[in-house]
Structure formats: structure tokens, C-alpha cells
Amino acid sequence: MIRHFSVAAGADRRSQVGIGVVGYGYWGPNLVRNFAEQPDARMVAVCDARTERLNSVAIRHPSVGVTDDFQDLLNAPDIDAIAVATPSKSHYSLARQALLAGKHVLVEKPMTQTSEQAEELVELADRRGLVLMVDHTFAYTGSVQKIRELVNNNELGRLYYWDSVRVNLGLFQQDVSVLDDLAVHDLSIMDHVLGMLPEAVAATGVAHVPGRPVNTAYLTCYFATDMLAHFHVNWLSPVKVRRTLIGGDRRMVVYDDNEPSEKVKVYDSGITVGEDEDRRIELKIGYRAGDVWAPKLPLDEALNVETAHFVECIRESKVPRTDGRAGWRVVRILETAARSLAEHGRPIEISWSPAVTKSDVATPGSAA
Amino acid sequence: MIRHFSVAAGADRRSQVGIGVVGYGYWGPNLVRNFAEQPDARMVAVCDARTERLNSVAIRHPSVGVTDDFQDLLNAPDIDAIAVATPSKSHYSLARQALLAGKHVLVEKPMTQTSEQAEELVELADRRGLVLMVDHTFAYTGSVQKIRELVNNNELGRLYYWDSVRVNLGLFQQDVSVLDDLAVHDLSIMDHVLGMLPEAVAATGVAHVPGRPVNTAYLTCYFATDMLAHFHVNWLSPVKVRRTLIGGDRRMVVYDDNEPSEKVKVYDSGITVGEDEDRRIELKIGYRAGDVWAPKLPLDEALNVETAHFVECIRESKVPRTDGRAGWRVVRILETAARSLAEHGRPIEISWSPAVTKSDVATPGSAA
Amino acid sequence: MIRHFSVAAGADRRSQVGIGVVGYGYWGPNLVRNFAEQPDARMVAVCDARTERLNSVAIRHPSVGVTDDFQDLLNAPDIDAIAVATPSKSHYSLARQALLAGKHVLVEKPMTQTSEQAEELVELADRRGLVLMVDHTFAYTGSVQKIRELVNNNELGRLYYWDSVRVNLGLFQQDVSVLDDLAVHDLSIMDHVLGMLPEAVAATGVAHVPGRPVNTAYLTCYFATDMLAHFHVNWLSPVKVRRTLIGGDRRMVVYDDNEPSEKVKVYDSGITVGEDEDRRIELKIGYRAGDVWAPKLPLDEALNVETAHFVECIRESKVPRTDGRAGWRVVRILETAARSLAEHGRPIEISWSPAVTKSDVATPGSAA
Amino acid sequence: MIRHFSVAAGADRRSQVGIGVVGYGYWGPNLVRNFAEQPDARMVAVCDARTERLNSVAIRHPSVGVTDDFQDLLNAPDIDAIAVATPSKSHYSLARQALLAGKHVLVEKPMTQTSEQAEELVELADRRGLVLMVDHTFAYTGSVQKIRELVNNNELGRLYYWDSVRVNLGLFQQDVSVLDDLAVHDLSIMDHVLGMLPEAVAATGVAHVPGRPVNTAYLTCYFATDMLAHFHVNWLSPVKVRRTLIGGDRRMVVYDDNEPSEKVKVYDSGITVGEDEDRRIELKIGYRAGDVWAPKLPLDEALNVETAHFVECIRESKVPRTDGRAGWRVVRILETAARSLAEHGRPIEISWSPAVTKSDVATPGSAA
């Protein structure tokens, strides 16, 4: 006989974390799908103002409730945590309401539009003892975890530079610049891997379409050391590039997220100081100085790892890997970059309050 | 208020094609997911002998029924069509039972283990007026459709060769050889693109692990023309290669399914016959003779296109693009290849009955 | 009987342009080899201070004279032109002496160390009616010629950005920064292709090794239009990258000099302005918007084309494609970049005297 | 004062090996250039029937003598060794005359047209105590040396397969098939790396152009073990592919000669035998099973290493790495392949006389 399981049969619903998701556009469906597959979570309801998006939820996830009123999520007693996947201008307001309603919160990146908003959310979550996590998805990939491990174990040695290129064809949006849309990924990766805070930021860019935000931008971060970090983001590139070079005096890393199987490659550094003409000619002709190694990486979907981590942090009162402070730090850099961009690329210093680094940020050379 | 839609609300269930799927291993979940998203179909039930696989259905698709008894699918009056996604040794038996029970059938590739079985299924479906379709998924990709269009429009000119490489690391299975597992894809692509039947087949290969089937094989197809088709399939390759070269006297195609954005490239042929030494040196040094063009391809998921096509063929009594005869032709080549392999690569002729080509197979040069 | 040709038998030595080369380090041998193969030139003598380098000349080119005294080249009546392939700090002095001695001059890039020196050389050559050419080798490649043609024919439309990456492992030199060593190539390519002069320049970089020049740098050029040009050069990259993206509102170009056969690819632009969510998702998933086209390029060695062009300009009193003014323009940008770099990346304006653009610089949209 | 060195000044001409080269088409110039740079050799004279080719010698190498009469090379007392770089049909006759005249010989590949000819040359050289070497250039590359070392040190373990693809656009020649032109490279590489002799050979191919030799071919070698070797060669490929996969039960190698910097990659094998469904799915989704390692390779030009080795073998009476027996073995395989091709791919056994393996061929697992 064809049986129909009662919904979520076999799991103790009381011990599961109830999840509400607000925003069912591009990313929301991924959140819903991944939360629906977490054994310790229950996907309770989705909120979106658009009826056709709610219909789409019903077709794919018939057992998940839907509503067009965010208040319903706040009021639902079986919702313990809310994931905010709306356009970034509403992140602050929705996350704040959720925290005030006693819900744990996962927010899309960039976490807020201003660092003041980010700071307020962090303080609110601290005061209420709630988990506040930002969806810096790349921090949960095997690639970024491997690079973090290499840096923390001092495999790269003293760091010389971080160079990221993230360019592709993208839609010009009304109120989100290419920095908020693309550089946010690289800044969150660098924050997670290095745990170093820039002392100054400079940015330059162009908004080629009148009335639209900047679509091509270059961002530079200056640190207390002589490490230089640079980011190229662009919505007008005919090709998709996702490549980060990280140079150290012992080893160097190429992280190419477009590569199907060898996303992270580690190169013996091969730096030479000297006037040796033969060596110079050899380097001109040759391509590299030592062996190359591509470590095997786990294949788990990052968002699966991340949603499981969010649920675990709620159940075990842990600080997330990408907590509200990580979101705050990245927002701080983005808003400073926007100011520099408005001032024709003038480098602008950032002073960091101790509160923003309270979370356990790894320092290169220390244990992971 | 958080609402719960009644299952499939808003669609007239009577007009939808009811679907049952048997086999929920590697491919079954993809079929279920795609049928669940077809507006004109309803995913009624899944059958699998393994309880944990049925639990997996319940978690992802709570409204879909489950059973471990195939007879339940055959008996269900709201199931109009059955997709068979079990190991290939049971395809024939399950598809035959389904047809006898008056269900339309979609079968995984290879359709059956022998061409006699394939022929019987084709005749049975013909007699009963049921749709019999084989899941030659690649035929529904934008890449293969574009190549078929190029061949049919005579853009490539007279065809010289077809060379496919499909190699990767794969698990040694008990009863499926690498020809059945991998070459079946390339044979089904060639069948769909060329609509030419080989007059003889030769194959050679090795089963390096005792008691396991052939894991490395080379297959050659000979045609009435001087076109040569050759296939390399291998489960022991450290790298994944998915590349087909198609050479014609006017243009040539490189179809690289690993390429993220330029899967199909069209090259001006540049063939030169002569003794010109300078030209020979130029070709030695240079790489190509003319312009290269990479047409834009649609990005639709092939299985979505295919499941929609299956539903449409049922509703409108059409012959599927990859009908049972296509499955039969491919099985015929595979079984001949297995014989050649057992006879140390001796080329073996195939005589094709008119029945196998009854479906509307395109011929190069004719309209698509 | 084994014959020995008398040197350069069969050519009328009097009608050939006699060539002297000073500096036989990395690049000098390429110049000598290419001049030796020009039918209208005669490779007369090489000057270098190092005896072992002169021995090397004798082994490869027994008929070419050698000397360690530059004065010998200046005094030789059968030397009509001198190519300067020494370290850049001596370019100005050697080129000036050569011009004063009535010799035509080809100088390595960067042409001089200051723009005042460049200006002086240009004026001196003008006054004496001598050819002054700078060895901007890339301007003579098929790739750059094709891109120039595309820009001049307005195939790309209005230009949005120019983004170059030229990074590899390189030796830290004593007195040449990575801008002088690598960015000089990209600036000379942009000068040749666009013929647009930047109104301001900004640069940032790091000299990680004490006492050594900057090894990692980013350079930005601002124009009267909203086109942005950006250059990344780096001697500490584990991988060699040679990639330029040029974005226009009609088409875009990817110029990848590492590609063996498809160095220049032209993409339909596919720029979309709007809020269309489906389109946004498509662009997130897809990679590109239109067809791609890789034109066939000539395979001639650039330095062969260039040395022939130099000889032709001398014989026919023509202005070289990369004349002294092109060298002057590039030096001007480099020295401004060095100033900006010293001032922490402050953008610095450049005012261009009419004299520097006297040569026939193409303007986008005008005929080639 | 500009000095002119007397030719080859500073070297004791009597202790140098005098070299004559016959044939100055595509490859001859490379031989002449490399011999000219060997300190222990002296490039004495070049023979070619075409006057314009001799003129070309005179321009590039004015001190090298020229003749259109091969007898001149045989008679010249200062010529100790002759390199034969003519079309393959004249290899046997010219090499034989040279050996009979007491000259050491380096012959282009394929060494001769028949194995009887090869055997005769080997015996003649043995009897006269002369060095007979075949120009299997790839054996002198850093890539092939590294792969040989990996095999000899048993790093790959038991060998499963050797799969080579060498395809590109090439000119149809009058009397050389694509097997002689391209497969000869791969056979010589395999001979050098494995030192295993095939017990049978099968080949299939097509000559699409009437009156021209086979342009597309597949060659299979069967061994006493269950290792399978397969070669795809093609003059009608729109893309240039130079890729060899070598599979062992411990590690696998990808040798891609088109790669600028990572020509040899070593993969942990990751072979799994079993029915584990999760593992199967992982392999379907994933790409590889372990770490990848790309060893640093020397950058020396192979022909420089090879010409030095030839000179050294003459001066020190050594057996060359690629001696006449290596040439003989490869010719034997090629002529057997041609027979198989004429018999529609029938596998043909080869019995090897002990004489052909007298040279020190490495056996996998034994010391290098």
C-alpha cells in the first residue's frame, strides 16, 4: 500500500529548532531547502510579500507554511529562529524586530547598511542571549576552511598580499553597489581567514549607467603590517573570474572557485632577491619555482554546513563562526569604502572598537 | 496568519499526468524533483525496497506517497506513467510490467540488457498505444541540440570523424561495465545528432579487478561512409574528461561538457591538402586555421526539459525525441560491442531491421 | 664541394641599414637575431661591457663584430642605427649620444627615467631628422593589432573600462620597480590601442624587501570620459597571468596572452539594466549573455615585425608606430604613478603638452 | 675597436666532434642551431638539395659550410658524425652510407621505413663500433624523465593503462601517415618510460582524402600483463591536444604537454572496489579522490640536452639513451600497426628477437 508519512514523522518536533524564513527571492529557496534537510531543525514558515513566490514554496515544500505578514513569523511560538533573506535595506529592521521578539537570527550579507545598525544588532543579541549570525557562506566551504588552516598553521609564512578578483556579468540594481554585492564575499572570506583588521581603506569605481550604483570598483585595504589587500569587483565582465592570490614568504595560494576540482593550489614560494642574470632569465622563461600541491577538499555544500552550524549554535549556545561581529566588521569596511569612493579614492582610516573583535577571531600563526 | 496550502492547490488534479517512480538511488531523486515541478504532472508515489530511501523521499517530498511494493504503483489508478530508475538488470521486467498494466514508461539508460528485450518493449508499447521513452538525458541539453542543428543544417559539411572521451574515477560495479555506464551517454548523443547507424562495431577493454566488469574500454563504430566514430570510456582516470570532437570538411566542433560557459565551439575547418612546406611549418607552429565561434546556449536543466517532454508526449500522443527505438538502437550497439570485446576486438557487423528506425531519425543534410 | 658563402652574399651591402646593438643581456640577443634576419639590414656590431656576453655573440653570430666601448659604435661609419638594450638608467645617455652622432635610435622600454629626458630625446631626433623609436614590442603583435582595429572600428562601442593583470614570479631588481618592469607593457599597449591620454593617475604598492623597489602595485588611470583603466602588476605571484579585459557597451574583449591559440576573444556585451528578478537569477547561474568569437590572428614574431618596421622607417623616413612620443607618454604616466605611490595613492593630475601627441595617435571611432 | 673573432675562437677544434647535417627543412634548422651551441661539437656543413634552404643556412650560420651533394659530407675528413633530417623514406639509405663511411649517425624518427632496415643499421653500427642514435626528442624532456623516474621507482604501482592523445591540424603528406608522423612520438615516449614490449598491436584509421595516407588513427598495444596502451592521432583536429594518462594502482599521471607550467601532475589513485552507494554518488559529484602534486621540472630545451648527449656518447663511447635499438622497436610497432590497419584492425602479434632489446631498457620496478 502506498503510505503517506505524517509530516516529519519519526522526529521529536519539540526538540527541533523551528525556523522561519523571510524573503523568498534568489537565495531564500536555498535556505529553505537546506533548513528542511537539517534533522535538528523544522522549516515552519516562509514570509514574502509576493503571492507567486509563496505559491512556489507550496509546490516545492507543501508542508511549510506561508504568509505575507512578517508579524506572523514573530508571533509564531513554534518559530525559534528567523533567517532574513530580503534585500539588504530591510535587513536591519527585520533582524531587530526578530531579536526583540526573542528569535535567534541569521541575516544575509551585507548584514546591515551601516555599522551603527550592525553594532546595535550585536548589542541587542548579546543582551538577550540570542544567536546572531551572518550568512557569510564562503566561510563554510572546504576551500576557505583549508586556506584558513594553512594560514593559521603558518604554512604561508609572513603574508605579503591578498589579491581577489570577482567579476562577471551582473544586473545593475537600484540600490546595491557592486561592492555590496560582490566585494562583501571576499571581505568576509578575508575576515574569516586572516582575522586581521585593516587600518585604512581606499576605493575607486565608476557608475557608468546614470541613476544606477557603481558597477566596477577597486578596493584596497592597508594593514599594520606591509601586507596589501586588493579587490577587483565588476558587473560588466564578459567572463566570470573568481580568483584569489595569497602571497607569503614561505608559500603562496591560488584559490580559484571556478576550478571544478583543484580550487586550492599551494605553491612553494620561490622568491629570490638578487642580481643573478641567469636566474632572471630563467624566471622570464619559466613559470614557477617549486612544486605545486592541490589538497583534497571536502565536497559538502557550504549552505548545508552553515545551516547545521546555525542550528547547533542555537541548541548548544555557541558563538557562530560568522557571528554578528563578523558581519559588523565587513559592513564597517564596506561603508568606509563607499566614503573613499565618494572622495575619489582617498584612503580613509578606520579605528576599531574592542567590541567588534570580541568574537574569537583567529590570528595568523596562532592555533586554528 | 500562516496558511498551509492543500497539496497542489490551484491545479486541476484530473488533468495532470500522475507519475510513479521506481528506484530512488542516485538518479531517482532527480526524476522525482523534476516531475514534482512540472505543472502538468503530479508526482504520486515512489517505490524502493530500502526503507531509508523511502524516508528520504518523505523528508524532501512529504506529499509524495511511498511503497516498497512495485505492484502498488501498477495498481494505483491515479498513476498514468512510471519512470524506471533501478539498476539496469531490472529495467526490462519493470518496464514490461508497467506497459502491460497500461502505464506509459520512461526508462533509464541503457534501456534493457539485450536488444531482444528492447524490441519486445517497443512492440508492446506500439501495440498498446503507450509512450515508451528512454532517458537519454544529454539529448535534451542545449549543447546537443545546438550540435544537432549544426549537423542538420550541413554547417559541418561532410563528416570525417566523431571522437568522444568520457573518463573519470568511478566505482567498479558488480554487473555493469564501463561501456554500459559511460559509453551509453555518447552513443545516445551520437544517435540523436547524426541519426546514422553503424554497420560494424569493434571494442577492446580490460577488467583489471578480478570478478569485476571491464573498467577501461575503447569502442569504434564503422559506417557506410568513411566517417569513423571512436569512444574512450574509463573509470580509472584521475581527471574528469567530457570531450567530443566532430570533424567535417567545412567546420569542426569541440563539445566540452566540463567547460562552464563555452561548451560548444565551432571551428573553421582549415583542412589543407598539399606539399607546401611553409604551410606545414605554419601548422606545426600555429594552432588553428580560422575563426572560432562559441554560440550562446540555453541554460535550462536537461532533465526539466525532458520530463516536460515526456508529460507532453503523453498528453498529446506524440513520439518522444528519445523513444524506445532510440533506446533499442543504443542497446544493440552496446551488446555488439560486448561481443567484440569478448572476441579481442574483432569488428562485428550489425544488420538493422527497418523497425528500429521507424522513429523519425534525422539524417545529416535534411531539415532538423 | 662544401662552399662557404662570403658574409651576406647576394645582398647589396650599401643599400642595407647598418645596425649596432648596445647591451647583450636578456633582450639584446633577440634584437640581434631579428636584425640579422632582416634582408634590408646588416647587423654590424654589438657592444657590451662583459667579455662573456661578447663571446656569446661570437658563437651565435660569428660575422657580427663586438666591442666593449660604446664609442666604437658611435664612430663606425657603417652603423646607421643603434638599438639600446641596456638597463633603463642608461637609456637616456646612450640614446642621446647616438642621436648626437647622427644615428637613428631604437630604445628599450621604459624609454627614459624621466619625462624631461624623453622630451629632450624627442626634440633632438626631430631637429636632426632622425628616427627615434621605442621598443613597445606588444604593439607589433597580431593580438594588439586586432584589438586596435576593433576599437578603431567602434566594434566595442563606448568604452567602460580597461583592466590589466600582469603578474608572475620575478627577480627583485636594484633600481627598477615592478611598474617600470611590467606595467610599462600594459601602458604601451593601451597607448597604442586607445590613443587616449589619462587626466590623472593613482598608484599604490609595497616594497616588501628592504632596500628593494616596489614589487606589488596597482595603478589607476582616470580619463575625461567615465572610462576607468586599472593595472595590477606583481613579481610575487605564484602563477603567470597576462589578462586584459576591455569593456564596451557593444562588445567586450578578453585578451589573454597565455592562451596558445585564442588570445583575443570578443563577447557580445549583454549588459542589462533593470530589476528583472528572473534575469538576475539567470545571470547568477549563467556565465554569459551572447556569442563568443575568437578571430584568427597572424603568427608572426612581434620583434620580427618591429625590427622590419624600424628599418623601413629609416629607409623611407616614416614616423614609427611606436615613436619617441609614445615612449615619452608612457614614461610620463610611470613617473606620475611613482609620485602617487610615494603619496599613499593620492590621484595626481597630468597636463599634456601638445608636443607629446604630435604623432598620429588614433582616436577610438576614427579610422585606423 | 670592433673586433671580429676568428670562427670558434678559443676552442680546440681538434678535440671537437665535427657535425654534418643532411636535410634543412622543418627540423634541420633546430639541429644545426643546437649543434652550433655545443661547446664540444663543431657544426661543419649542411647538405640540402634546395638552393634557397642553403641560402637560409648562410644567413643564420655564415661560418657553416653548405653543399647540395651528400657525398661531400661523407668525404669530409673533419665531419665525424652526420645527422639525418630528411623525409623518412631516405633515412635508411643516408644513414647506411654514413655508417659505411665511418660516421656516427643521428637519425630522425621514424628511424627507417621497415624493421629490416632498422635491424641492418643497428648491426652495421655495432660491427663498426659507431654510435647510432635516433632522434626521439621527447625522451630528453624534463617531463618524460620525471615520468620515467616515477615508473622506475614504482611510485605508480602496478600499471593499468597508458592512454595518449596527440591531435592537431596537420598537412596531408604524400607518403607519411599520421601514425608515422604523430604516433611515433608517443611510442618512443612509452618505449623510453616503460621498457615493455607489446605482444600484439591493432590499429584502425581512415584516409579521407583520396591518394593521401591515413590522417585519423587509433592504435592499441597489448602486453603480457593486463596493461592496455592506446593512442589517438589525428591531423584533422580543430584543437591541439597533447595529453597522456597513465594509470597505476598506487598513483596516476596526467602528462599534458600543452600546459605551460604544470606538464606533469601526479594523482593519488583513489580506486575503490565496492558497492557503496554513497561513495558512488560522491564519485559522481566529486572529481577526484586525493591530493594532486605537480613536481617542478627542468626547463632545458630537449634538443639541447639530446645533441649534448649525442656528442658525449661519441666522445666517451657510450650507448645513447635512444639508441638504434629504440628506433628499431618503434619502427617494428609502426609497421605492425600499418599491417593491422590494412586488415581492418585485426590484432597482430609481434615476436621480439633478443637483439632488439640488447640496449639497457629499464623495467618498471627496477632501479632507473
PDB file of all heavy atoms in Angstrom, chain B residues 179-194:
ATOM      1  N   LEU B 179      31.246   0.413 -20.433  1.00  0.00           N
ATOM      2  CA  LEU B 179      30.533   0.717 -21.680  1.00  0.00           C
ATOM      3  C   LEU B 179      29.067   1.039 -21.379  1.00  0.00           C
ATOM      4  O   LEU B 179      28.523   2.025 -21.866  1.00  0.00           O
ATOM      5  CB  LEU B 179      30.625  -0.465 -22.655  1.00  0.00           C
ATOM      6  CG  LEU B 179      31.972  -0.652 -23.368  1.00  0.00           C
ATOM      7  CD1 LEU B 179      32.033  -2.022 -24.035  1.00  0.00           C
ATOM      8  CD2 LEU B 179      32.195   0.443 -24.405  1.00  0.00           C
ATOM      9  N   ASP B 180      28.448   0.183 -20.551  1.00  0.00           N
ATOM     10  CA  ASP B 180      27.040   0.414 -20.199  1.00  0.00           C
ATOM     11  C   ASP B 180      26.878   1.689 -19.365  1.00  0.00           C
ATOM     12  O   ASP B 180      25.857   2.364 -19.444  1.00  0.00           O
ATOM     13  CB  ASP B 180      26.495  -0.779 -19.397  1.00  0.00           C
ATOM     14  CG  ASP B 180      26.451  -2.053 -20.223  1.00  0.00           C
ATOM     15  OD1 ASP B 180      26.450  -1.948 -21.456  1.00  0.00           O
ATOM     16  OD2 ASP B 180      26.444  -3.140 -19.635  1.00  0.00           O
ATOM     17  N   ASP B 181      27.875   1.973 -18.553  1.00  0.00           N
ATOM     18  CA  ASP B 181      27.773   3.102 -17.625  1.00  0.00           C
ATOM     19  C   ASP B 181      28.085   4.436 -18.302  1.00  0.00           C
ATOM     20  O   ASP B 181      27.406   5.430 -18.067  1.00  0.00           O
ATOM     21  CB  ASP B 181      28.761   2.870 -16.469  1.00  0.00           C
ATOM     22  CG  ASP B 181      28.646   3.924 -15.385  1.00  0.00           C
ATOM     23  OD1 ASP B 181      27.518   4.262 -14.992  1.00  0.00           O
ATOM     24  OD2 ASP B 181      29.695   4.417 -14.918  1.00  0.00           O
ATOM     25  N   LEU B 182      29.108   4.461 -19.146  1.00  0.00           N
ATOM     26  CA  LEU B 182      29.564   5.738 -19.719  1.00  0.00           C
ATOM     27  C   LEU B 182      29.347   5.848 -21.227  1.00  0.00           C
ATOM     28  O   LEU B 182      28.867   6.870 -21.714  1.00  0.00           O
ATOM     29  CB  LEU B 182      31.047   5.968 -19.393  1.00  0.00           C
ATOM     30  CG  LEU B 182      31.408   6.125 -17.907  1.00  0.00           C
ATOM     31  CD1 LEU B 182      32.902   6.392 -17.751  1.00  0.00           C
ATOM     32  CD2 LEU B 182      30.607   7.249 -17.265  1.00  0.00           C
ATOM     33  N   ALA B 183      29.719   4.805 -21.984  1.00  0.00           N
ATOM     34  CA  ALA B 183      29.601   4.918 -23.444  1.00  0.00           C
ATOM     35  C   ALA B 183      28.150   5.091 -23.866  1.00  0.00           C
ATOM     36  O   ALA B 183      27.857   5.684 -24.912  1.00  0.00           O
ATOM     37  CB  ALA B 183      30.215   3.690 -24.126  1.00  0.00           C
ATOM     38  N   VAL B 184      27.234   4.598 -23.036  1.00  0.00           N
ATOM     39  CA  VAL B 184      25.814   4.737 -23.356  1.00  0.00           C
ATOM     40  C   VAL B 184      25.443   6.210 -23.565  1.00  0.00           C
ATOM     41  O   VAL B 184      24.613   6.535 -24.419  1.00  0.00           O
ATOM     42  CB  VAL B 184      24.955   4.076 -22.243  1.00  0.00           C
ATOM     43  CG1 VAL B 184      25.094   4.813 -20.929  1.00  0.00           C
ATOM     44  CG2 VAL B 184      23.506   3.976 -22.669  1.00  0.00           C
ATOM     45  N   HIS B 185      26.075   7.105 -22.806  1.00  0.00           N
ATOM     46  CA  HIS B 185      25.796   8.531 -22.989  1.00  0.00           C
ATOM     47  C   HIS B 185      26.213   8.986 -24.388  1.00  0.00           C
ATOM     48  O   HIS B 185      25.467   9.655 -25.094  1.00  0.00           O
ATOM     49  CB  HIS B 185      26.558   9.371 -21.954  1.00  0.00           C
ATOM     50  CG  HIS B 185      26.070   9.187 -20.563  1.00  0.00           C
ATOM     51  ND1 HIS B 185      24.809   9.541 -20.166  1.00  0.00           N
ATOM     52  CD2 HIS B 185      26.682   8.680 -19.455  1.00  0.00           C
ATOM     53  CE1 HIS B 185      24.660   9.278 -18.871  1.00  0.00           C
ATOM     54  NE2 HIS B 185      25.775   8.748 -18.417  1.00  0.00           N
ATOM     55  N   ASP B 186      27.438   8.639 -24.769  1.00  0.00           N
ATOM     56  CA  ASP B 186      27.967   9.131 -26.046  1.00  0.00           C
ATOM     57  C   ASP B 186      27.255   8.495 -27.236  1.00  0.00           C
ATOM     58  O   ASP B 186      27.025   9.153 -28.254  1.00  0.00           O
ATOM     59  CB  ASP B 186      29.473   8.877 -26.115  1.00  0.00           C
ATOM     60  CG  ASP B 186      30.175   9.671 -25.029  1.00  0.00           C
ATOM     61  OD1 ASP B 186      30.062  10.909 -25.048  1.00  0.00           O
ATOM     62  OD2 ASP B 186      30.797   9.065 -24.152  1.00  0.00           O
ATOM     63  N   LEU B 187      26.905   7.214 -27.104  1.00  0.00           N
ATOM     64  CA  LEU B 187      26.166   6.571 -28.182  1.00  0.00           C
ATOM     65  C   LEU B 187      24.792   7.206 -28.344  1.00  0.00           C
ATOM     66  O   LEU B 187      24.307   7.393 -29.464  1.00  0.00           O
ATOM     67  CB  LEU B 187      26.037   5.071 -27.899  1.00  0.00           C
ATOM     68  CG  LEU B 187      27.352   4.286 -28.003  1.00  0.00           C
ATOM     69  CD1 LEU B 187      27.164   2.868 -27.483  1.00  0.00           C
ATOM     70  CD2 LEU B 187      27.860   4.264 -29.448  1.00  0.00           C
ATOM     71  N   SER B 188      24.155   7.562 -27.220  1.00  0.00           N
ATOM     72  CA  SER B 188      22.826   8.175 -27.331  1.00  0.00           C
ATOM     73  C   SER B 188      22.941   9.584 -27.909  1.00  0.00           C
ATOM     74  O   SER B 188      22.073  10.021 -28.668  1.00  0.00           O
ATOM     75  CB  SER B 188      22.129   8.188 -25.970  1.00  0.00           C
ATOM     76  OG  SER B 188      22.770   9.068 -25.076  1.00  0.00           O
ATOM     77  N   ILE B 189      24.021  10.293 -27.582  1.00  0.00           N
ATOM     78  CA  ILE B 189      24.227  11.623 -28.171  1.00  0.00           C
ATOM     79  C   ILE B 189      24.440  11.494 -29.678  1.00  0.00           C
ATOM     80  O   ILE B 189      23.823  12.196 -30.483  1.00  0.00           O
ATOM     81  CB  ILE B 189      25.437  12.327 -27.512  1.00  0.00           C
ATOM     82  CG1 ILE B 189      25.124  12.650 -26.046  1.00  0.00           C
ATOM     83  CG2 ILE B 189      25.820  13.586 -28.287  1.00  0.00           C
ATOM     84  CD1 ILE B 189      26.338  13.109 -25.251  1.00  0.00           C
ATOM     85  N   MET B 190      25.315  10.565 -30.070  1.00  0.00           N
ATOM     86  CA  MET B 190      25.596  10.384 -31.498  1.00  0.00           C
ATOM     87  C   MET B 190      24.331   9.950 -32.244  1.00  0.00           C
ATOM     88  O   MET B 190      24.046  10.442 -33.341  1.00  0.00           O
ATOM     89  CB  MET B 190      26.715   9.372 -31.711  1.00  0.00           C
ATOM     90  CG  MET B 190      27.133   9.260 -33.175  1.00  0.00           C
ATOM     91  SD  MET B 190      28.572   8.194 -33.424  1.00  0.00           S
ATOM     92  CE  MET B 190      27.832   6.570 -33.147  1.00  0.00           C
ATOM     93  N   ASP B 191      23.560   9.043 -31.645  1.00  0.00           N
ATOM     94  CA  ASP B 191      22.307   8.601 -32.271  1.00  0.00           C
ATOM     95  C   ASP B 191      21.389   9.788 -32.504  1.00  0.00           C
ATOM     96  O   ASP B 191      20.783   9.916 -33.570  1.00  0.00           O
ATOM     97  CB  ASP B 191      21.617   7.580 -31.354  1.00  0.00           C
ATOM     98  CG  ASP B 191      20.322   7.045 -31.948  1.00  0.00           C
ATOM     99  OD1 ASP B 191      20.409   6.222 -32.876  1.00  0.00           O
ATOM    100  OD2 ASP B 191      19.232   7.477 -31.510  1.00  0.00           O
ATOM    101  N   HIS B 192      21.317  10.670 -31.519  1.00  0.00           N
ATOM    102  CA  HIS B 192      20.404  11.808 -31.629  1.00  0.00           C
ATOM    103  C   HIS B 192      20.910  12.842 -32.635  1.00  0.00           C
ATOM    104  O   HIS B 192      20.136  13.432 -33.378  1.00  0.00           O
ATOM    105  CB  HIS B 192      20.226  12.449 -30.256  1.00  0.00           C
ATOM    106  CG  HIS B 192      19.116  13.447 -30.223  1.00  0.00           C
ATOM    107  ND1 HIS B 192      17.804  13.103 -30.430  1.00  0.00           N
ATOM    108  CD2 HIS B 192      19.118  14.778 -30.021  1.00  0.00           C
ATOM    109  CE1 HIS B 192      17.044  14.172 -30.355  1.00  0.00           C
ATOM    110  NE2 HIS B 192      17.817  15.211 -30.117  1.00  0.00           N
ATOM    111  N   VAL B 193      22.199  13.050 -32.658  1.00  0.00           N
ATOM    112  CA  VAL B 193      22.769  14.105 -33.511  1.00  0.00           C
ATOM    113  C   VAL B 193      22.853  13.657 -34.966  1.00  0.00           C
ATOM    114  O   VAL B 193      22.493  14.402 -35.873  1.00  0.00           O
ATOM    115  CB  VAL B 193      24.165  14.526 -33.002  1.00  0.00           C
ATOM    116  CG1 VAL B 193      24.891  15.364 -34.042  1.00  0.00           C
ATOM    117  CG2 VAL B 193      24.039  15.291 -31.689  1.00  0.00           C
ATOM    118  N   LEU B 194      23.347  12.446 -35.185  1.00  0.00           N
ATOM    119  CA  LEU B 194      23.625  12.009 -36.558  1.00  0.00           C
ATOM    120  C   LEU B 194      22.476  11.243 -37.191  1.00  0.00           C
ATOM    121  O   LEU B 194      22.236  11.363 -38.387  1.00  0.00           O
ATOM    122  CB  LEU B 194      24.863  11.117 -36.598  1.00  0.00           C
ATOM    123  CG  LEU B 194      26.172  11.727 -36.152  1.00  0.00           C
ATOM    124  CD1 LEU B 194      27.306  10.760 -36.475  1.00  0.00           C
ATOM    125  CD2 LEU B 194      26.417  13.070 -36.850  1.00  0.00           C
TER     126      LEU B 194
END
